Amino acid sequence: MTFKEQIQQGISNILPPLKAYDTSVSHAPKRKEILSRDEKKLALKNALRYFKAIHHKTLLPEFREELEKYGRIYMYRFRPDYEMFARSIDEYPGKSQQARAIQLMIQNNLDKAIAQHPHELITYGGNGAVFQNWAQYLLTMKYLSSMTDEQTLVMYSGHPIGLFPSHKNAPRMVVTNGMVIPNYSQPDDWEKFNALGVSQYGQMTAGSYMYIGPQGIVHGTTITVLNACRKIDDSGTTGKLFVTAGLGGMSGAQPKAGNIAGLISVTAEVNPSATFKRHEQGWVDEVILDLDELVNRVRRAKENKEVVSIAYNGNIVEVWEKFDQENIYIHLGSDQTSLHNPWSGGYYPVGLSLEEANIMMAEDPELFKIKVQESLRRHVAAINRHTEKGTYFFDYGNAFLLESARAGADILAENGVDFKYPSYVQDIMGPMCFDYGFGPFRWVCTSGKPEDLQKTDAIACEVLESIIAHSPKEIQQQMQDNITWIKGAQQHNLVVGSQARILYADAEGRIKIAKAFNDAIAKGNMGSIVLGRDHHDVSGTDSPFRETSNIYDGSRFTADMAIQNVIGDSFRGATWVSIHNGGGVGWGEAINGGFGMLLDGTLAAEQRLTSMLHWDVNNGIARRAWSRNQEAIFAIKRAMQEDPLLKVTLPNLVDENLLK
């Protein structure tokens, strides 16, 4: 069959042959044993319901073996034979251009060059899944290939519940991931519900089909470390050392960002497949396996004021301790291991090999938890010694501070409540970007043509340069950083997978860039464009230890903003919307929402983008202004001046002296 025919077929009535376990790709570790005997039976029944009864006898022992061996039923037999990558939108079958765009984005998320564990349908973060199993993938793609613009596909944690009649202005897809009752939102609840096949962890852009490879976080990390350096002093980045951990799907961006920012960076990673994958992709310059060699190399880099990224294939705790012993001064420190998922491969304890840790987490999870927490205490102790010497350490939104505190590490401030170290949102991204409305706007060229991406880069740069000419001084730095970024985007070879780009923009920038794209499409200058953003944005996510960590009115544990955001996006013109439990900080720790929007050059697309993008940003600014964030008050007042239909409740500020 042709590629289109395979998509349209969905789940074949004839069982495909069994597939050999492919060792050429990275696989998810075995998940912990958590189901009772009766629950295992239920998991098997849940899996078999995707298939005709005639096949149950054949599939039952196969699925039982997967459940016992991997802790999940992935249905490897049904993994497609065709190569998984984002094709040109015209290569996908369908009656709806919007639905074809979603097919493209789904396949991009599962591209082995992008996905962390592609055969387990996990894009990044150790457990950030697009689907729970391959049957869900096949069904979803079939639905998308047959739907019209008068239907909406409803997704329950990877499962396509079905196509429902709607209308052309409704979203073509509505996605929920992990929307469990709050009292059942602990890490073990995820393990149980996921093993049963009834819920999944969508991370942020994994389960919403908007991941664009590590480029997405390269830009955010570049902006973060640039501004972190500005907090230290005004001498620039030359010669400064940045030490961190993680080279996976999201964290793999760190060395590239370090290079773009002009730093010396050392990133530790315990998984050699991840380490060498990033090196082969050109995202890290050098790989070192020995600590003494690492010390010598960093000393040379400092002496020569090099711009270089170094991957250490080993445990980050060893690096912090060794650099302390050798008196290697670290200017910036952070961590991007997947500590939202500490007990299932998100963080590997010092003193165990990768293989030993994987065995222990599956066969003795309680001991593994003890080892992780011991390692976190050592990790923090080493960081504390460096910060006493002047290192600026910040949490990069991966629950490092939270899990370290839970482990009993010396991470709390003197009041015993707050952390010693700030979240990067508290110190950097919140007051400098989010409060002003700047966040990770992104787009994908559905033609797959590099020349289309070049055209969009040029358009975006032209728009930003026209805006900065009249921008207030409060946002001049943000504007210039993004103009510098987009001008250098091509030379940094950021594309992995789809022809995609990201930059930080406010509502004005997003709307004007999107309109310019839509005009170019209408003129036939390039193919259609999918707009999106990271959920990690101005109003997409309520996350008390990350995105909303600089909300100080007591509301940072509420999730009204994220829920209102996705509801508002859905009726203002989004092609698809998503809302998730979890994200980068862990199951039960955040609620986050996202969207996708197809630009096809029509007037209808222009109307949708104007309405939706304005809301998508200003919803968050309004909430941040109400919490008395001065930068957000400035931004929302400016927005109200520009659009008289916008009327936002502003806070009356209280004289602190009255409260003494």
mmCIF file with all atom_site columns, all heavy atoms in Angstrom, residues 435 618 621-622 625 630-644 646 648-651 653:
data_model
loop_
_atom_site.group_PDB
_atom_site.id
_atom_site.type_symbol
_atom_site.label_atom_id
_atom_site.label_alt_id
_atom_site.label_comp_id
_atom_site.label_asym_id
_atom_site.label_entity_id
_atom_site.label_seq_id
_atom_site.pdbx_PDB_ins_code
_atom_site.Cartn_x
_atom_site.Cartn_y
_atom_site.Cartn_z
_atom_site.occupancy
_atom_site.B_iso_or_equiv
_atom_site.pdbx_formal_charge
_atom_site.auth_seq_id
_atom_site.auth_comp_id
_atom_site.auth_asym_id
_atom_site.auth_atom_id
_atom_site.pdbx_PDB_model_num
ATOM 1   N N   . ASP A 1 435 ? 5.900   38.886 32.090 1.00 0.00 ? 435 ASP A N   1
ATOM 2   C CA  . ASP A 1 435 ? 5.081   40.002 32.563 1.00 0.00 ? 435 ASP A CA  1
ATOM 3   C C   . ASP A 1 435 ? 4.862   41.054 31.477 1.00 0.00 ? 435 ASP A C   1
ATOM 4   O O   . ASP A 1 435 ? 3.850   41.762 31.484 1.00 0.00 ? 435 ASP A O   1
ATOM 5   C CB  . ASP A 1 435 ? 5.707   40.652 33.796 1.00 0.00 ? 435 ASP A CB  1
ATOM 6   C CG  . ASP A 1 435 ? 5.512   39.819 35.058 1.00 0.00 ? 435 ASP A CG  1
ATOM 7   O OD1 . ASP A 1 435 ? 4.773   38.823 34.993 1.00 0.00 ? 435 ASP A OD1 1
ATOM 8   O OD2 . ASP A 1 435 ? 6.089   40.171 36.101 1.00 0.00 ? 435 ASP A OD2 1
ATOM 9   N N   . ASN A 1 618 ? -2.741  38.268 26.244 1.00 0.00 ? 618 ASN A N   1
ATOM 10  C CA  . ASN A 1 618 ? -3.229  39.245 27.216 1.00 0.00 ? 618 ASN A CA  1
ATOM 11  C C   . ASN A 1 618 ? -3.991  38.625 28.383 1.00 0.00 ? 618 ASN A C   1
ATOM 12  O O   . ASN A 1 618 ? -4.076  39.246 29.452 1.00 0.00 ? 618 ASN A O   1
ATOM 13  C CB  . ASN A 1 618 ? -4.072  40.306 26.509 1.00 0.00 ? 618 ASN A CB  1
ATOM 14  C CG  . ASN A 1 618 ? -3.204  41.309 25.777 1.00 0.00 ? 618 ASN A CG  1
ATOM 15  O OD1 . ASN A 1 618 ? -2.399  42.006 26.382 1.00 0.00 ? 618 ASN A OD1 1
ATOM 16  N ND2 . ASN A 1 618 ? -3.335  41.361 24.459 1.00 0.00 ? 618 ASN A ND2 1
ATOM 17  N N   . ILE A 1 621 ? -1.167  38.328 30.821 1.00 0.00 ? 621 ILE A N   1
ATOM 18  C CA  . ILE A 1 621 ? -0.708  39.620 31.330 1.00 0.00 ? 621 ILE A CA  1
ATOM 19  C C   . ILE A 1 621 ? -1.710  40.167 32.337 1.00 0.00 ? 621 ILE A C   1
ATOM 20  O O   . ILE A 1 621 ? -1.332  40.718 33.382 1.00 0.00 ? 621 ILE A O   1
ATOM 21  C CB  . ILE A 1 621 ? -0.505  40.624 30.178 1.00 0.00 ? 621 ILE A CB  1
ATOM 22  C CG1 . ILE A 1 621 ? 0.555   40.122 29.191 1.00 0.00 ? 621 ILE A CG1 1
ATOM 23  C CG2 . ILE A 1 621 ? -0.070  41.982 30.732 1.00 0.00 ? 621 ILE A CG2 1
ATOM 24  C CD1 . ILE A 1 621 ? 0.735   41.021 27.988 1.00 0.00 ? 621 ILE A CD1 1
ATOM 25  N N   . ALA A 1 622 ? -3.003  40.014 32.038 1.00 0.00 ? 622 ALA A N   1
ATOM 26  C CA  . ALA A 1 622 ? -4.043  40.516 32.937 1.00 0.00 ? 622 ALA A CA  1
ATOM 27  C C   . ALA A 1 622 ? -3.964  39.843 34.300 1.00 0.00 ? 622 ALA A C   1
ATOM 28  O O   . ALA A 1 622 ? -4.092  40.501 35.345 1.00 0.00 ? 622 ALA A O   1
ATOM 29  C CB  . ALA A 1 622 ? -5.422  40.301 32.316 1.00 0.00 ? 622 ALA A CB  1
ATOM 30  N N   . ALA A 1 625 ? -0.912  41.143 36.054 1.00 0.00 ? 625 ALA A N   1
ATOM 31  C CA  . ALA A 1 625 ? -1.133  42.517 36.520 1.00 0.00 ? 625 ALA A CA  1
ATOM 32  C C   . ALA A 1 625 ? -1.970  42.521 37.796 1.00 0.00 ? 625 ALA A C   1
ATOM 33  O O   . ALA A 1 625 ? -1.690  43.280 38.732 1.00 0.00 ? 625 ALA A O   1
ATOM 34  C CB  . ALA A 1 625 ? -1.828  43.331 35.432 1.00 0.00 ? 625 ALA A CB  1
ATOM 35  N N   . GLN A 1 630 ? 4.504   44.804 38.555 1.00 0.00 ? 630 GLN A N   1
ATOM 36  C CA  . GLN A 1 630 ? 4.590   46.135 37.959 1.00 0.00 ? 630 GLN A CA  1
ATOM 37  C C   . GLN A 1 630 ? 4.769   46.082 36.440 1.00 0.00 ? 630 GLN A C   1
ATOM 38  O O   . GLN A 1 630 ? 4.172   46.887 35.707 1.00 0.00 ? 630 GLN A O   1
ATOM 39  C CB  . GLN A 1 630 ? 5.737   46.925 38.601 1.00 0.00 ? 630 GLN A CB  1
ATOM 40  C CG  . GLN A 1 630 ? 5.477   47.338 40.042 1.00 0.00 ? 630 GLN A CG  1
ATOM 41  C CD  . GLN A 1 630 ? 4.312   48.307 40.171 1.00 0.00 ? 630 GLN A CD  1
ATOM 42  O OE1 . GLN A 1 630 ? 4.080   49.140 39.300 1.00 0.00 ? 630 GLN A OE1 1
ATOM 43  N NE2 . GLN A 1 630 ? 3.554   48.184 41.255 1.00 0.00 ? 630 GLN A NE2 1
ATOM 44  N N   . GLU A 1 631 ? 5.607   45.168 35.967 1.00 0.00 ? 631 GLU A N   1
ATOM 45  C CA  . GLU A 1 631 ? 5.842   45.078 34.528 1.00 0.00 ? 631 GLU A CA  1
ATOM 46  C C   . GLU A 1 631 ? 4.562   44.702 33.789 1.00 0.00 ? 631 GLU A C   1
ATOM 47  O O   . GLU A 1 631 ? 4.287   45.194 32.691 1.00 0.00 ? 631 GLU A O   1
ATOM 48  C CB  . GLU A 1 631 ? 6.945   44.051 34.232 1.00 0.00 ? 631 GLU A CB  1
ATOM 49  C CG  . GLU A 1 631 ? 8.307   44.422 34.787 1.00 0.00 ? 631 GLU A CG  1
ATOM 50  C CD  . GLU A 1 631 ? 8.521   43.986 36.233 1.00 0.00 ? 631 GLU A CD  1
ATOM 51  O OE1 . GLU A 1 631 ? 7.569   43.451 36.846 1.00 0.00 ? 631 GLU A OE1 1
ATOM 52  O OE2 . GLU A 1 631 ? 9.638   44.193 36.758 1.00 0.00 ? 631 GLU A OE2 1
ATOM 53  N N   . ALA A 1 632 ? 3.761   43.802 34.398 1.00 0.00 ? 632 ALA A N   1
ATOM 54  C CA  . ALA A 1 632 ? 2.511   43.394 33.772 1.00 0.00 ? 632 ALA A CA  1
ATOM 55  C C   . ALA A 1 632 ? 1.473   44.511 33.801 1.00 0.00 ? 632 ALA A C   1
ATOM 56  O O   . ALA A 1 632 ? 0.678   44.664 32.859 1.00 0.00 ? 632 ALA A O   1
ATOM 57  C CB  . ALA A 1 632 ? 1.966   42.145 34.466 1.00 0.00 ? 632 ALA A CB  1
ATOM 58  N N   . ILE A 1 633 ? 1.459   45.295 34.874 1.00 0.00 ? 633 ILE A N   1
ATOM 59  C CA  . ILE A 1 633 ? 0.551   46.453 34.934 1.00 0.00 ? 633 ILE A CA  1
ATOM 60  C C   . ILE A 1 633 ? 0.883   47.420 33.796 1.00 0.00 ? 633 ILE A C   1
ATOM 61  O O   . ILE A 1 633 ? -0.009  47.919 33.093 1.00 0.00 ? 633 ILE A O   1
ATOM 62  C CB  . ILE A 1 633 ? 0.648   47.156 36.305 1.00 0.00 ? 633 ILE A CB  1
ATOM 63  C CG1 . ILE A 1 633 ? 0.082   46.238 37.405 1.00 0.00 ? 633 ILE A CG1 1
ATOM 64  C CG2 . ILE A 1 633 ? -0.090  48.487 36.279 1.00 0.00 ? 633 ILE A CG2 1
ATOM 65  C CD1 . ILE A 1 633 ? 0.292   46.768 38.815 1.00 0.00 ? 633 ILE A CD1 1
ATOM 66  N N   . PHE A 1 634 ? 2.180   47.653 33.586 1.00 0.00 ? 634 PHE A N   1
ATOM 67  C CA  . PHE A 1 634 ? 2.614   48.500 32.470 1.00 0.00 ? 634 PHE A CA  1
ATOM 68  C C   . PHE A 1 634 ? 2.130   47.931 31.142 1.00 0.00 ? 634 PHE A C   1
ATOM 69  O O   . PHE A 1 634 ? 1.573   48.649 30.294 1.00 0.00 ? 634 PHE A O   1
ATOM 70  C CB  . PHE A 1 634 ? 4.143   48.619 32.465 1.00 0.00 ? 634 PHE A CB  1
ATOM 71  C CG  . PHE A 1 634 ? 4.714   49.179 31.195 1.00 0.00 ? 634 PHE A CG  1
ATOM 72  C CD1 . PHE A 1 634 ? 4.795   50.551 30.998 1.00 0.00 ? 634 PHE A CD1 1
ATOM 73  C CD2 . PHE A 1 634 ? 5.161   48.336 30.182 1.00 0.00 ? 634 PHE A CD2 1
ATOM 74  C CE1 . PHE A 1 634 ? 5.314   51.076 29.813 1.00 0.00 ? 634 PHE A CE1 1
ATOM 75  C CE2 . PHE A 1 634 ? 5.671   48.842 28.999 1.00 0.00 ? 634 PHE A CE2 1
ATOM 76  C CZ  . PHE A 1 634 ? 5.749   50.222 28.813 1.00 0.00 ? 634 PHE A CZ  1
ATOM 77  N N   . ALA A 1 635 ? 2.312   46.618 30.955 1.00 0.00 ? 635 ALA A N   1
ATOM 78  C CA  . ALA A 1 635 ? 1.985   45.986 29.674 1.00 0.00 ? 635 ALA A CA  1
ATOM 79  C C   . ALA A 1 635 ? 0.486   45.979 29.402 1.00 0.00 ? 635 ALA A C   1
ATOM 80  O O   . ALA A 1 635 ? 0.050   46.221 28.266 1.00 0.00 ? 635 ALA A O   1
ATOM 81  C CB  . ALA A 1 635 ? 2.538   44.561 29.646 1.00 0.00 ? 635 ALA A CB  1
ATOM 82  N N   . ILE A 1 636 ? -0.323  45.697 30.422 1.00 0.00 ? 636 ILE A N   1
ATOM 83  C CA  . ILE A 1 636 ? -1.769  45.617 30.174 1.00 0.00 ? 636 ILE A CA  1
ATOM 84  C C   . ILE A 1 636 ? -2.357  47.011 29.976 1.00 0.00 ? 636 ILE A C   1
ATOM 85  O O   . ILE A 1 636 ? -3.314  47.185 29.203 1.00 0.00 ? 636 ILE A O   1
ATOM 86  C CB  . ILE A 1 636 ? -2.495  44.837 31.299 1.00 0.00 ? 636 ILE A CB  1
ATOM 87  C CG1 . ILE A 1 636 ? -3.817  44.260 30.758 1.00 0.00 ? 636 ILE A CG1 1
ATOM 88  C CG2 . ILE A 1 636 ? -2.730  45.694 32.522 1.00 0.00 ? 636 ILE A CG2 1
ATOM 89  C CD1 . ILE A 1 636 ? -3.667  43.222 29.690 1.00 0.00 ? 636 ILE A CD1 1
ATOM 90  N N   . LYS A 1 637 ? -1.823  48.020 30.634 1.00 0.00 ? 637 LYS A N   1
ATOM 91  C CA  . LYS A 1 637 ? -2.281  49.399 30.381 1.00 0.00 ? 637 LYS A CA  1
ATOM 92  C C   . LYS A 1 637 ? -1.983  49.785 28.932 1.00 0.00 ? 637 LYS A C   1
ATOM 93  O O   . LYS A 1 637 ? -2.810  50.422 28.261 1.00 0.00 ? 637 LYS A O   1
ATOM 94  C CB  . LYS A 1 637 ? -1.594  50.368 31.343 1.00 0.00 ? 637 LYS A CB  1
ATOM 95  C CG  . LYS A 1 637 ? -2.147  50.349 32.765 1.00 0.00 ? 637 LYS A CG  1
ATOM 96  C CD  . LYS A 1 637 ? -1.428  51.379 33.637 1.00 0.00 ? 637 LYS A CD  1
ATOM 97  C CE  . LYS A 1 637 ? -2.031  51.443 35.039 1.00 0.00 ? 637 LYS A CE  1
ATOM 98  N NZ  . LYS A 1 637 ? -1.322  52.413 35.900 1.00 0.00 ? 637 LYS A NZ  1
ATOM 99  N N   . ARG A 1 638 ? -0.814  49.397 28.459 1.00 0.00 ? 638 ARG A N   1
ATOM 100 C CA  . ARG A 1 638 ? -0.442  49.687 27.069 1.00 0.00 ? 638 ARG A CA  1
ATOM 101 C C   . ARG A 1 638 ? -1.378  48.963 26.103 1.00 0.00 ? 638 ARG A C   1
ATOM 102 O O   . ARG A 1 638 ? -1.818  49.527 25.091 1.00 0.00 ? 638 ARG A O   1
ATOM 103 C CB  . ARG A 1 638 ? 1.010   49.262 26.853 1.00 0.00 ? 638 ARG A CB  1
ATOM 104 C CG  . ARG A 1 638 ? 1.553   49.539 25.464 1.00 0.00 ? 638 ARG A CG  1
ATOM 105 C CD  . ARG A 1 638 ? 3.060   49.380 25.422 1.00 0.00 ? 638 ARG A CD  1
ATOM 106 N NE  . ARG A 1 638 ? 3.561   49.459 24.060 1.00 0.00 ? 638 ARG A NE  1
ATOM 107 C CZ  . ARG A 1 638 ? 4.061   48.425 23.387 1.00 0.00 ? 638 ARG A CZ  1
ATOM 108 N NH1 . ARG A 1 638 ? 4.172   47.235 23.962 1.00 0.00 ? 638 ARG A NH1 1
ATOM 109 N NH2 . ARG A 1 638 ? 4.476   48.576 22.144 1.00 0.00 ? 638 ARG A NH2 1
ATOM 110 N N   . ALA A 1 639 ? -1.712  47.707 26.431 1.00 0.00 ? 639 ALA A N   1
ATOM 111 C CA  . ALA A 1 639 ? -2.619  46.931 25.576 1.00 0.00 ? 639 ALA A CA  1
ATOM 112 C C   . ALA A 1 639 ? -4.015  47.554 25.535 1.00 0.00 ? 639 ALA A C   1
ATOM 113 O O   . ALA A 1 639 ? -4.671  47.581 24.488 1.00 0.00 ? 639 ALA A O   1
ATOM 114 C CB  . ALA A 1 639 ? -2.696  45.488 26.074 1.00 0.00 ? 639 ALA A CB  1
ATOM 115 N N   . MET A 1 640 ? -4.486  48.059 26.666 1.00 0.00 ? 640 MET A N   1
ATOM 116 C CA  . MET A 1 640 ? -5.808  48.682 26.708 1.00 0.00 ? 640 MET A CA  1
ATOM 117 C C   . MET A 1 640 ? -5.838  49.984 25.914 1.00 0.00 ? 640 MET A C   1
ATOM 118 O O   . MET A 1 640 ? -6.856  50.327 25.303 1.00 0.00 ? 640 MET A O   1
ATOM 119 C CB  . MET A 1 640 ? -6.240  48.921 28.159 1.00 0.00 ? 640 MET A CB  1
ATOM 120 C CG  . MET A 1 640 ? -6.661  47.650 28.883 1.00 0.00 ? 640 MET A CG  1
ATOM 121 S SD  . MET A 1 640 ? -7.474  47.960 30.481 1.00 0.00 ? 640 MET A SD  1
ATOM 122 C CE  . MET A 1 640 ? -6.071  48.390 31.503 1.00 0.00 ? 640 MET A CE  1
ATOM 123 N N   . GLN A 1 641 ? -4.733  50.706 25.906 1.00 0.00 ? 641 GLN A N   1
ATOM 124 C CA  . GLN A 1 641 ? -4.666  51.928 25.112 1.00 0.00 ? 641 GLN A CA  1
ATOM 125 C C   . GLN A 1 641 ? -4.757  51.624 23.619 1.00 0.00 ? 641 GLN A C   1
ATOM 126 O O   . GLN A 1 641 ? -5.362  52.379 22.850 1.00 0.00 ? 641 GLN A O   1
ATOM 127 C CB  . GLN A 1 641 ? -3.359  52.676 25.409 1.00 0.00 ? 641 GLN A CB  1
ATOM 128 C CG  . GLN A 1 641 ? -3.312  53.324 26.779 1.00 0.00 ? 641 GLN A CG  1
ATOM 129 C CD  . GLN A 1 641 ? -1.953  53.929 27.093 1.00 0.00 ? 641 GLN A CD  1
ATOM 130 O OE1 . GLN A 1 641 ? -0.980  53.738 26.359 1.00 0.00 ? 641 GLN A OE1 1
ATOM 131 N NE2 . GLN A 1 641 ? -1.870  54.663 28.196 1.00 0.00 ? 641 GLN A NE2 1
ATOM 132 N N   . GLU A 1 642 ? -4.180  50.488 23.216 1.00 0.00 ? 642 GLU A N   1
ATOM 133 C CA  . GLU A 1 642 ? -4.155  50.124 21.802 1.00 0.00 ? 642 GLU A CA  1
ATOM 134 C C   . GLU A 1 642 ? -5.473  49.525 21.331 1.00 0.00 ? 642 GLU A C   1
ATOM 135 O O   . GLU A 1 642 ? -5.792  49.580 20.140 1.00 0.00 ? 642 GLU A O   1
ATOM 136 C CB  . GLU A 1 642 ? -2.995  49.148 21.535 1.00 0.00 ? 642 GLU A CB  1
ATOM 137 C CG  . GLU A 1 642 ? -1.621  49.793 21.721 1.00 0.00 ? 642 GLU A CG  1
ATOM 138 C CD  . GLU A 1 642 ? -0.484  48.796 21.615 1.00 0.00 ? 642 GLU A CD  1
ATOM 139 O OE1 . GLU A 1 642 ? -0.767  47.592 21.459 1.00 0.00 ? 642 GLU A OE1 1
ATOM 140 O OE2 . GLU A 1 642 ? 0.685   49.226 21.691 1.00 0.00 ? 642 GLU A OE2 1
ATOM 141 N N   . ASP A 1 643 ? -6.240  48.912 22.230 1.00 0.00 ? 643 ASP A N   1
ATOM 142 C CA  . ASP A 1 643 ? -7.513  48.305 21.854 1.00 0.00 ? 643 ASP A CA  1
ATOM 143 C C   . ASP A 1 643 ? -8.581  48.711 22.869 1.00 0.00 ? 643 ASP A C   1
ATOM 144 O O   . ASP A 1 643 ? -8.633  48.175 23.976 1.00 0.00 ? 643 ASP A O   1
ATOM 145 C CB  . ASP A 1 643 ? -7.391  46.780 21.813 1.00 0.00 ? 643 ASP A CB  1
ATOM 146 C CG  . ASP A 1 643 ? -8.627  46.121 21.217 1.00 0.00 ? 643 ASP A CG  1
ATOM 147 O OD1 . ASP A 1 643 ? -9.707  46.757 21.210 1.00 0.00 ? 643 ASP A OD1 1
ATOM 148 O OD2 . ASP A 1 643 ? -8.528  44.968 20.750 1.00 0.00 ? 643 ASP A OD2 1
ATOM 149 N N   . PRO A 1 644 ? -9.458  49.639 22.505 1.00 0.00 ? 644 PRO A N   1
ATOM 150 C CA  . PRO A 1 644 ? -10.466 50.125 23.459 1.00 0.00 ? 644 PRO A CA  1
ATOM 151 C C   . PRO A 1 644 ? -11.477 49.070 23.888 1.00 0.00 ? 644 PRO A C   1
ATOM 152 O O   . PRO A 1 644 ? -12.182 49.267 24.884 1.00 0.00 ? 644 PRO A O   1
ATOM 153 C CB  . PRO A 1 644 ? -11.147 51.267 22.693 1.00 0.00 ? 644 PRO A CB  1
ATOM 154 C CG  . PRO A 1 644 ? -10.852 51.000 21.249 1.00 0.00 ? 644 PRO A CG  1
ATOM 155 C CD  . PRO A 1 644 ? -9.522  50.339 21.217 1.00 0.00 ? 644 PRO A CD  1
ATOM 156 N N   . LEU A 1 646 ? -10.629 46.221 25.009 1.00 0.00 ? 646 LEU A N   1
ATOM 157 C CA  . LEU A 1 646 ? -9.993  45.514 26.129 1.00 0.00 ? 646 LEU A CA  1
ATOM 158 C C   . LEU A 1 646 ? -10.129 46.355 27.392 1.00 0.00 ? 646 LEU A C   1
ATOM 159 O O   . LEU A 1 646 ? -9.636  47.485 27.454 1.00 0.00 ? 646 LEU A O   1
ATOM 160 C CB  . LEU A 1 646 ? -8.519  45.255 25.819 1.00 0.00 ? 646 LEU A CB  1
ATOM 161 C CG  . LEU A 1 646 ? -7.700  44.549 26.913 1.00 0.00 ? 646 LEU A CG  1
ATOM 162 C CD1 . LEU A 1 646 ? -8.203  43.128 27.139 1.00 0.00 ? 646 LEU A CD1 1
ATOM 163 C CD2 . LEU A 1 646 ? -6.214  44.527 26.543 1.00 0.00 ? 646 LEU A CD2 1
ATOM 164 N N   . VAL A 1 648 ? -9.557  45.728 31.474 1.00 0.00 ? 648 VAL A N   1
ATOM 165 C CA  . VAL A 1 648 ? -9.049  44.775 32.459 1.00 0.00 ? 648 VAL A CA  1
ATOM 166 C C   . VAL A 1 648 ? -9.102  45.385 33.858 1.00 0.00 ? 648 VAL A C   1
ATOM 167 O O   . VAL A 1 648 ? -8.792  46.569 34.039 1.00 0.00 ? 648 VAL A O   1
ATOM 168 C CB  . VAL A 1 648 ? -7.595  44.367 32.107 1.00 0.00 ? 648 VAL A CB  1
ATOM 169 C CG1 . VAL A 1 648 ? -6.953  43.580 33.231 1.00 0.00 ? 648 VAL A CG1 1
ATOM 170 C CG2 . VAL A 1 648 ? -7.584  43.549 30.819 1.00 0.00 ? 648 VAL A CG2 1
ATOM 171 N N   . THR A 1 649 ? -9.479  44.566 34.830 1.00 0.00 ? 649 THR A N   1
ATOM 172 C CA  . THR A 1 649 ? -9.499  45.007 36.223 1.00 0.00 ? 649 THR A CA  1
ATOM 173 C C   . THR A 1 649 ? -8.066  45.179 36.725 1.00 0.00 ? 649 THR A C   1
ATOM 174 O O   . THR A 1 649 ? -7.273  44.239 36.684 1.00 0.00 ? 649 THR A O   1
ATOM 175 C CB  . THR A 1 649 ? -10.222 43.978 37.114 1.00 0.00 ? 649 THR A CB  1
ATOM 176 O OG1 . THR A 1 649 ? -11.487 43.672 36.541 1.00 0.00 ? 649 THR A OG1 1
ATOM 177 C CG2 . THR A 1 649 ? -10.404 44.516 38.523 1.00 0.00 ? 649 THR A CG2 1
ATOM 178 N N   . LEU A 1 650 ? -7.746  46.375 37.195 1.00 0.00 ? 650 LEU A N   1
ATOM 179 C CA  . LEU A 1 650 ? -6.406  46.672 37.692 1.00 0.00 ? 650 LEU A CA  1
ATOM 180 C C   . LEU A 1 650 ? -6.410  46.744 39.220 1.00 0.00 ? 650 LEU A C   1
ATOM 181 O O   . LEU A 1 650 ? -7.403  47.155 39.825 1.00 0.00 ? 650 LEU A O   1
ATOM 182 C CB  . LEU A 1 650 ? -5.897  47.994 37.115 1.00 0.00 ? 650 LEU A CB  1
ATOM 183 C CG  . LEU A 1 650 ? -5.639  48.017 35.606 1.00 0.00 ? 650 LEU A CG  1
ATOM 184 C CD1 . LEU A 1 650 ? -5.259  49.424 35.159 1.00 0.00 ? 650 LEU A CD1 1
ATOM 185 C CD2 . LEU A 1 650 ? -4.543  47.028 35.228 1.00 0.00 ? 650 LEU A CD2 1
ATOM 186 N N   . PRO A 1 651 ? -5.301  46.362 39.854 1.00 0.00 ? 651 PRO A N   1
ATOM 187 C CA  . PRO A 1 651 ? -5.242  46.390 41.319 1.00 0.00 ? 651 PRO A CA  1
ATOM 188 C C   . PRO A 1 651 ? -5.017  47.797 41.854 1.00 0.00 ? 651 PRO A C   1
ATOM 189 O O   . PRO A 1 651 ? -4.337  48.616 41.230 1.00 0.00 ? 651 PRO A O   1
ATOM 190 C CB  . PRO A 1 651 ? -4.039  45.498 41.623 1.00 0.00 ? 651 PRO A CB  1
ATOM 191 C CG  . PRO A 1 651 ? -3.126  45.702 40.448 1.00 0.00 ? 651 PRO A CG  1
ATOM 192 C CD  . PRO A 1 651 ? -4.043  45.855 39.263 1.00 0.00 ? 651 PRO A CD  1
ATOM 193 N N   . LEU A 1 653 ? -3.009  49.537 44.593 1.00 0.00 ? 653 LEU A N   1
ATOM 194 C CA  . LEU A 1 653 ? -1.838  49.176 45.387 1.00 0.00 ? 653 LEU A CA  1
ATOM 195 C C   . LEU A 1 653 ? -1.955  49.719 46.810 1.00 0.00 ? 653 LEU A C   1
ATOM 196 O O   . LEU A 1 653 ? -2.435  50.826 47.030 1.00 0.00 ? 653 LEU A O   1
ATOM 197 C CB  . LEU A 1 653 ? -0.570  49.693 44.719 1.00 0.00 ? 653 LEU A CB  1
ATOM 198 C CG  . LEU A 1 653 ? -0.356  49.220 43.260 1.00 0.00 ? 653 LEU A CG  1
ATOM 199 C CD1 . LEU A 1 653 ? 0.959   49.759 42.724 1.00 0.00 ? 653 LEU A CD1 1
ATOM 200 C CD2 . LEU A 1 653 ? -0.400  47.700 43.163 1.00 0.00 ? 653 LEU A CD2 1
#
